[in-house]
Amino acid sequence: MADCLFCKIIAGHIPADQVYEDEEFLGFKDIAPKAPVHILVIPKKHIANLEELEGEDAPLMGRLQLVLQKIARDQGLADSGYRIVNNCGRDAGQVVFHIHYHLLGGSSRLNLD
Ligand code: 5GP
Ligand code: ZN
């Protein structure tokens, strides 16, 4: 998707502070962190949001759960805990229309505003 910000990050056309990459997924620090640890985790496949998911994406999105777990562990959050947030559509305040999961941690008061 030529006009997608996160596709441009995946392609390396826009820099990002990456913390994880494999063939299917990318993890990078949110540019405006809302918690001491605020990582965005995305599939490299362009999917606009949860509403666009199809049955064939189920294995991919299942593997994403384990990537979230790995990144959380790598960030030292396994014991303290963490929150996963997905915003889908206008009323949720979705700004970037490439599906992404916010991984938030490092505080007992995780700000969702
Ligand atoms: P949304 O509201 O769509 O769920 O969240 C989009 C997130 O992307 C926001 O938390 C915002 O700070 C982050 N973001 C927007 N532009 C960039 C960027 O260019 N680089 C990075 N690393 N994060 C971005
Ligand atoms: Zn995209």
Side-chain angles (χ1 to χ4, degrees):
M1 296 291 287
D3 59 350
C4 171
L5 175 65
F6 288 173
C7 281
K8 289 177 183 169
I9 287 176
I10 291 164
H13 296 153
I14 291 178
D17 195 346
Q18 291 187 20
V19 300
Y20 180 86
E21 182 170 21
D22 67 23
E23 285 185 3
E24 295 182 304
F25 305 104
L26 195 65
F28 53 96
K29 293 183 181 177
D30 195 292
I31 204 167
K34 302 218 169 36
V37 177
H38 187 171
I39 308 291
L40 300 174
V41 185
I42 63 176
K44 290 183 175 176
K45 177 180 178 181
H46 180 89
I47 301 166
N49 62 24
L50 211 59
E51 269 302 303
E52 301 294 318
L53 272 186
E54 297 180 356
E56 68 180 23
D57 299 316
L60 178 75
M61 299 311 282
R63 290 192 289 276
L64 176 58
Q65 305 303 303
L66 292 172
V67 169
L68 289 163
Q69 179 197 64
K70 175 174 173 36
I71 296 173
R73 289 177 176 176
D74 289 349
Q75 295 289 320
L77 302 177
D79 290 337
S80 52
Y82 47 92
R83 176 174 289 150
I84 305 295
V85 174
N86 172 258
N87 295 324
C88 180
R90 184 186 61 232
D91 280 1
Q94 185 179 6
V95 174
V96 180
F97 283 78
H98 181 126
I99 195 167
H100 54 278
Y101 289 79
H102 298 256
L103 168 62
L104 299 152
S107 167
S108 60
R109 297 172 62 83
L110 295 172
N111 185 356
L112 291 179
D113 294 338

